[in-house]
Amino acid sequence: MIAFEPDMRMVKVAREHVAGIAAGWPVDAYEVSVVASELVTNAVLHAKTDEIRVDACADGGVYVLKVWDGDETLPVACRPGSDVVGGRGLMIVEELAARWGAVRDGEGGKGVFAEWGAS
């Protein structure tokens, strides 16, 4: 796990951390790293938090990416119009991950996760 203060420069660090872990998984490591970028970017831009944590693990044939932040507001996927520049991160996550979701941790924060099965 890595932890850091919200900073866009840390998106690359988090993506590389997750890519290193996912390199040993039987899933598309590039897609996992893209999802990591999207989830960490969302946390940096939208979460009102002093810390973001990123981890990835394998659990019985399920490969999980987790991004935690100290803001309990759950993310909501939206469908922005074609004239809107941003807002498509969770649409990308929906396309690349087998499943994603978010849960409040009961301590004022949340975890956003993405999962893949073995391909």
Side-chain angles (χ1 to χ4, degrees), residues 20-117:
I21 295 169
W25 295 353
V27 299
D28 188 322
Y30 175 75
E31 290 183 359
V32 175
S33 64
V34 169
V35 171
S37 291
E38 294 298 336
L39 295 182
V40 172
T41 297
N42 281 354
V44 169
L45 293 177
H46 303 295
K48 295 164 183 60
T49 187
D50 294 329
E51 182 181 48
I52 295 169
R53 299 179 206 146
V54 179
D55 200 7
C57 63
D59 184 12
V62 177
Y63 303 90
V64 184
L65 163 65
K66 302 173 193 172
V67 177
W68 178 92
D69 64 62
D71 184 341
E72 66 181 8
T73 306
L74 298 179
V76 177
C78 61
R79 304 280 184 235
S82 60
D83 58 336
V84 177
V85 175
R88 292 174 178 78
L90 292 177
M91 289 172 55
I92 293 168
V93 172
E94 286 177 353
E95 285 297 316
L96 297 180
R99 182 171 95 97
W100 79 275
V103 292
R104 290 185 179 98
D105 67 5
E107 298 176 16
K110 69 174 168 298
V112 182
F113 65 89
E115 297 177 348
W116 293 263

